[in-house]
Amino acid sequence: MTSDPEATTGGLTAAEAAARSALVEVQGYQVELDLTGLADGSSFSSHTVIDFSYGTFEGAGGPGMTWVDLVAEEVAALALDGVLLDPGDVVLGNRVRLGPLGGRHRLEVAARHRSGLPGRGLTRTVDPADGSVYAWTQFQPYDARRVFACFDQPDLKATFAFTVRVPRDWLVVSGGLASATRQDGDVSVWVFPPTPRLPTYATAVCAGQLEVVRSSAAAVPMALYSRRSLAGPLERNAAEIFDLSRRALELFGSTFGRPYDGDSYDHVFLPDQPGAMENHGCVTWNDEVLFRSEPTAERRRRRALVQLHELSHMWFGNLVTPRWWDGLWLSESFADWAAQWAAAELGVLDGRWSVATAMEKERAAGADQLATTHPVNRPVADLAAAEANFDLITYAKGACMLRQLVDLVGEAAFLAGLRSYFDQHAGGNGSLITLLGSLAQHTRADVTGWSREWLETSGINTLSLEVGSAGDRRTSAVLVQGPADALRRHDLAIGAYRAGPDGAMVRTERIDLVVSAERTDVPELVGTPVAELLLLDDADQAYAVLRPDEASIRNLVANGGALPGTVARTVARRTVKGLLQDGLVSATEVVEFAAGALSDESELTHLRALVALGAEAAGPWAGESERGYLQRRLAGACLDNLVQAKAGGDDWLVLVEGLADCADSPEQLARVESLLADGNLPQPIRWRLLTRLVAVGAAGVDEIRVEQVRAQDPDAHWYAEVARVAAPDPAAKDVGLDLLLTGEGVPASVLRNFGPALWQSRQDAMLAPRAAEYPDRLAAFGERAGWAAAHRVALFAFPTVGIDDVFIQRVLAIATAPESPPLLRNVLLDQADRTQRFIEARRLNTPAHPH
């Protein structure tokens, strides 16, 4: 299957890395990159000087051998301590063998390279809007070696001094302020001083005909860069990005007891960056976050959380770096936690933690029930396995566990422990053991035992309430925890609710519990009315799958949206979604729950989550014969509530998005057309509305062409493609599948919209043969475009209709093939799991007499 041997051999193993770092210490790198060839081609060159020591540690033994990592088209010259080496003798694959060694050494390597796939080493991007060229690096986890010779592992940190040669009209951005620039004919030479001690993956160079906006309002100079075609959005977004960066740098510096250690802090926005990357002082983003029209409050909040996540990495990951990739959560879980914490401190989120954190718990719990769940902190054998570790367990679940740890030890003790951690390991490396040691200095809580229970074991517990009754009263109540062989301690509350005289739900009692056994009696519920709704985890404290008693499930579906308090309503929605995923409630019940709850919901993030839940239930979870009715039901509820909402307000826009996803009746489609005629909607919502009209055959290529011109966006052609592939036309589907799985594929920023547009939930018969092609074409695409690209396609554009048991078996066969790389294997196993759940739900819930 794979043409890249490192995809299956793993590249670098944990054992190799540990053996090398036991003998090698790197003082610094001097890296000169000549990027002038990228103006009209794909070639560039590097000249690297590495100062390092070998075997100078106590007990290291005598002279020995090691290697430097390098991926290059050609190694032009090599010298060790001034002695020329023959590349033919010492270069083996992607390693430069060195030895015998002992003491201090200087290695010089000159090499020629080619720009690679987006997000792998150095990427060359050409803006289709005006032909401008941009070059940028992405090194995590193991791709610095594609740009310069290095010891490419996280525990061999060093300083990096870059010198970059570029065409005269290009700008260069790296991890600090340039110390000098000079002209050499048609070439500009940019010189950057040494960075703080960093892992190789946290360094960066970006260059090209960049637009720039600068700010000196903060103690640390800042700048924002983008392609020239986005100069307007860059200028309009700058003040908000600068302000949050300034306040967050001050907050983290004071809270962690160490100011940011860079001399500048820049953002570079790029069209094909797969997401965002925390390069020290030079954060790169996908430039979709430069809003081209007025964003919704939800989009603004999501960008702020990513911004805070990447900024916190200047401490978590850059200042103190995990020793190996088993400690990835020490960077990513902490960055997710820090983003939520800082967002609450800085007023980005409405509450202390808000509904946003509950959404993260929901995502984590979903991932923890899939086939590839794993401990937050787990052994990682090699770099291929490390790439597969960038998942929701490492990010979302780890952050949830950290919030639990804060509750256990107290926020003051937790922050004091972090300050000790940074003091003791700044400029170096950390691990689970060193982190727990720092925390233990400030608390009497058993943090080691907590870690064993929550970080070092996999899976999620289910908490089920079993109730006995006689007449209208409960006679017994037991909370059952499973699985029996993996019990944990859970702190949670059970809220008892009933309908008041005015029909509103009122809490009559709250019972606080500590659950650690397999069965825990709840005597407080004995004798209480059966008609009450019992809400498990009423205060949203627990990390568990929640299974109420049968009477409460029925009451929850009927009245859960009307519970008092955002937290209770959030828990109700999360519980209902879990019941749907386990086949305990039908798609019809969930759509009715969501539609009925819209009028009672005042919290914006939860309103959006309700609409999304309803749309999902009416799509892949519903039987084919039910989808039309359920989508009309949800769209009708959105339309009804639009009348009550303030036109143009954030809640109004969320309801418009729901209408855009589900409109089906003539009245609903007419409203979609009238909204498009208005002209004042944010452009992303306009594209969603038009895509819906195309999907039901109410609009076509002419309307798409008009909207593309109207958008005045350099990426409008891709959003036009999204609309085109939604059409109920076999030719459009074939074009869409070809776009998805040939060439470099669909840009990462477009995939989230492209996938749902292609796999329309009302086009089963047309899509079935295309779904059958998908698994084999995906594997072939991964070989050509890289496994990271194939992973993204499988994650965001996986078939949800036209699927059956044969499709699942083909997906599993590819996932479990010996040559399948971990990155592809994991995502396919998870998608097969989800697909099986969809199919089972459709079988269970398709009525004999559909609507």
Side-chain angles (χ1 to χ4, degrees):
M1 176 187 296
T2 177
S3 58
D4 177 6
E6 287 196 352
T8 50
T9 62
L12 175 69
T13 70
E16 288 176 319
R20 183 163 65 170
S21 64
L23 293 168
V24 172
E25 183 179 88
V26 189
Q27 285 74 50
Y29 293 83
Q30 301 171 49
V31 181
E32 181 172 340
L33 300 177
D34 187 339
L35 307 185
T36 54
L38 296 176
D40 55 9
S42 60
S43 295
F44 68 97
S45 65
S46 67
H47 180 271
T48 308
V49 178
I50 313 174
D51 291 303
F52 70 100
S53 302
Y54 181 90
T56 58
F57 313 118
E58 184 176 348
M65 305 284 292
T66 192
W67 77 96
V68 165
D69 302 297
L70 177 63
V71 179
E73 292 284 300
E74 178 188 6
V75 179
L78 280 166
L80 180 64
D81 301 325
V83 178
L84 292 175
L85 305 177
D86 184 345
D89 294 337
V90 298
V91 177
L92 181 62
N94 296 328
R95 296 182 176 185
V96 180
R97 305 287 179 175
L98 303 173
L101 300 169
R104 293 181 66 90
H105 297 279
R106 169 166 285 196
L107 175 69
E108 295 186 59
V109 183
R112 285 190 283 272
H113 313 257
R114 288 193 178 275
S115 57
L117 299 167
R120 300 298 300 269
L122 186 143
T123 300
R124 178 181 184 267
T125 297
V126 180
D127 187 353
D130 60 12
S132 298
V133 176
Y134 305 95
W136 55 280
T137 61
Q138 167 104 3
F139 294 152
Q140 192 181 52
Y142 189 45
D143 287 322
R145 65 196 178 123
R146 298 180 186 274
V147 176
F148 58 92
C150 57
F151 295 95
D152 208 355
Q153 62 187 72
D155 60 345
L156 288 176
K157 298 175 72 170
T159 62
F160 296 81
F162 287 98
T163 298
V164 187
R165 297 172 60 85
V166 294
R168 190 182 183 96
D169 60 342
W170 284 23
L171 300 180
V172 181
V173 191
S174 190
L177 297 172
S179 58
T181 59
R182 65 179 187 272
Q183 304 301 317
D184 182 7
D186 293 334
V187 173
S188 292
V189 182
W190 294 65
V191 180
F192 296 89
T195 66
R197 290 185 65 81
L198 296 172
T200 49
Y201 74 77
T203 63
V205 170
C206 302
Q209 296 156 309
L210 292 159
E211 192 71 22
V212 60
V213 177
R214 302 184 190 279
S215 173
S216 57
V220 177
M222 299 181 189
L224 310 181
Y225 298 84
S226 75
R227 46 183 164 145
R228 294 188 301 187
S229 60
L230 289 178
L234 183 72
E235 183 70 38
R236 291 193 297 273
N237 284 258
E240 185 175 326
I241 295 171
F242 282 141
D243 177 67
L244 184 58
S245 293
R246 175 187 57 79
R247 293 191 293 136
L249 282 172
E250 293 171 355
L251 175 65
F252 286 140
S254 61
T255 301
F256 299 151
R258 281 182 169 268
Y260 167 61
D261 60 357
D263 65 4
S264 60
Y265 189 77
D266 300 334
H267 298 272
V268 184
F269 301 96
L270 300 155
D272 48 6
Q273 217 283 12
M277 177 61 201
E278 67 268 17
N279 312 302
H280 187 268
C282 180
V283 174
T284 53
W285 294 64
N286 188 291
D287 61 20
E288 68 168 340
V289 300
L290 289 178
F291 304 134
R292 293 94 191 270
S293 59
E294 184 62 24
T296 62
E298 179 70 8
R299 288 191 75 206
R300 180 173 273 122
R301 180 192 66 80
R302 290 202 304 270
R303 182 177 75 178
L305 286 171
V306 176
Q307 186 177 344
L308 293 169
H309 173 107
E310 304 304 335
L311 194 149
S312 74
H313 272 307
M314 302 305 119
W315 287 265
F316 298 110
N318 293 357
L319 180 66
V320 180
T321 306
R323 189 170 303 283
W324 178 246
W325 297 103
D326 53 3
L328 178 62
W329 70 277
L330 288 165
S331 290
E332 301 301 350
S333 301
F334 271 95
D336 259 16
W337 167 83
Q340 298 278 3
W341 176 83
E345 292 288 315
L346 297 172
V348 174
L349 301 180
D350 294 335
R352 179 69 186 120
W353 284 108
S354 90
V355 179
T357 60
M359 301 292 290
E360 187 165 52
K361 182 189 291 188
E362 184 176 304
R363 291 191 295 270
D368 223 358
Q369 296 174 74
L370 294 173
T372 61
T373 187
H374 59 82
V376 173
N377 189 89
R378 64 163 173 175
V380 172
D382 53 43
L383 264 298
E387 282 195 289
N389 213 28
F390 288 78
D391 60 14
L392 284 172
I393 299 297
T394 298
Y395 284 71
K397 182 180 178 179
C400 292
M401 296 303 96
L402 290 176
R403 284 194 290 278
Q404 187 188 80
L405 179 59
V406 172
D407 289 340
L408 175 68
V409 305
E411 184 172 292
F414 182 75
L415 294 177
L418 291 183
R419 286 191 288 272
S420 296
Y421 178 67
F422 291 132
D423 284 342
Q424 294 164 18
H425 304 290
N429 297 91
S431 65
L432 172 63
I433 293 173
T434 59
L435 173 70
L436 295 178
S438 295
L439 289 172
Q441 299 172 30
H442 302 277
T443 181
R444 293 183 178 179
D446 180 11
V447 293
T448 300
W450 171 86
S451 173
R452 284 195 300 268
E453 192 170 46
W454 290 101
L455 296 181
E456 299 168 61
T457 59
S458 64
I460 185 170
N461 296 116
T462 297
L463 299 177
S464 305
L465 187 62
E466 296 181 355
V467 172
S469 63
D472 63 353
R473 297 284 165 174
R474 299 184 182 95
T475 57
S476 63
V478 179
L479 197 61
V480 180
Q481 180 183 182
D485 60 349
L487 302 178
R488 299 180 178 93
R489 172 190 163 122
H490 300 270
D491 293 64
L492 77 157
I494 299 176
Y497 294 86
R498 61 174 173 79
D502 58 354
M505 299 296 288
V506 178
R507 188 168 68 191
T508 59
E509 187 176 8
R510 170 174 159 164
I511 302 164
D512 291 295
L513 298 172
V514 175
V515 175
S516 55
E518 184 178 357
R519 298 178 66 84
T520 302
D521 290 325
V522 190
E524 295 90 339
L525 292 176
V526 175
T528 60
V530 171
E532 288 182 328
L533 187 165
L534 299 179
L535 186 67
L536 299 183
D537 197 24
D538 189 35
D540 201 15
Q541 300 164 280
Y543 178 78
V545 176
L546 306 173
R547 295 289 172 263
D549 62 288
E550 185 60 34
S552 291
I553 289 176
R554 306 272 68 85
N555 207 340
L556 186 67
V557 170
N559 301 304
L563 290 168
T566 300
V567 171
R569 294 196 302 276
T570 299
V571 172
R573 180 190 48 74
R574 178 161 57 92
T575 304
V576 168
K577 183 173 183 178
L579 295 168
L580 171 69
Q581 292 171 338
D582 281 358
L584 299 176
V585 297
S586 69
T588 300
E589 290 174 298
V590 175
V591 171
E592 291 295 337
F593 164 80
L598 294 182
S599 59
D600 294 311
E601 189 49 61
S602 57
E603 205 287 327
L604 185 64
T605 303
H606 187 48
L607 180 68
R608 189 173 186 274
L610 277 171
V611 171
L613 174 61
E616 187 180 0
W621 291 98
E624 184 178 356
S625 62
E626 285 285 274
R627 291 178 203 147
Y629 165 76
L630 293 179
Q631 289 177 10
R632 288 190 294 276
R633 172 71 179 99
L634 184 63
C638 291
L639 203 51
D640 292 343
N641 284 280
L642 275 175
V643 178
Q644 309 300 323
K646 180 183 176 182
D650 288 325
D651 55 345
W652 186 86
L653 291 171
V654 169
L655 295 168
V656 169
E657 289 179 329
L659 185 65
D661 290 342
C662 295
D664 189 68
S665 72
E667 177 193 9
Q668 294 165 0
L669 294 172
R671 183 68 172 118
V672 169
E673 291 174 341
S674 70
L675 286 165
L676 275 172
D678 184 342
N680 293 319
L681 286 172
Q683 190 59 48
I685 296 180
R686 291 186 60 83
W687 280 118
R688 285 177 74 168
L689 290 165
L690 179 57
T691 300
R692 184 61 182 182
L693 292 177
V694 173
V696 299
V701 293
D702 291 339
E703 289 84 357
I704 294 170
R705 190 177 299 112
V706 169
E707 191 65 28
Q708 185 175 347
V709 173
R710 181 193 181 281
Q712 295 184 333
D713 184 330
D715 298 324
H717 66 288
W718 273 114
Y719 294 100
E721 292 291 358
V722 169
R724 290 188 190 102
V725 303
D729 172 53
K733 298 304 177 186
D734 288 337
V735 169
L737 203 58
D738 286 345
L739 283 171
L740 194 65
L741 296 173
T742 58
E744 292 185 1
V746 176
S749 60
V750 180
L751 274 173
R752 291 177 185 271
N753 297 312
F754 195 94
L758 175 62
W759 305 110
Q760 286 288 324
S761 62
R762 305 279 295 284
Q763 300 171 357
D764 291 63
M766 186 184 306
L767 288 167
R770 280 89 189 168
E773 295 177 27
Y774 183 96
D776 290 293
R777 291 192 65 177
L778 178 71
F781 173 70
E783 290 185 2
R784 293 191 308 273
W787 298 112
H791 175 270
R792 289 191 294 272
V793 169
L795 193 62
F796 298 122
F798 199 78
T800 53
V801 294
I803 52 178
D804 55 19
D805 292 330
V806 174
F807 171 82
I808 294 176
Q809 291 307 311
R810 184 60 195 140
V811 171
L812 289 173
I814 291 174
T816 56
E819 66 272 22
S820 181
L823 194 62
L824 184 66
R825 178 178 66 241
N826 285 7
V827 71
L828 288 182
L829 288 174
D830 284 348
Q831 291 291 30
D833 194 334
R834 292 188 183 97
T835 303
Q836 186 66 57
R837 290 171 184 246
F838 290 156
I839 291 174
E840 290 301 321
R842 294 170 193 176
R843 288 171 177 160
L844 287 170
N845 298 318
T846 299
H849 303 288
H851 295 279

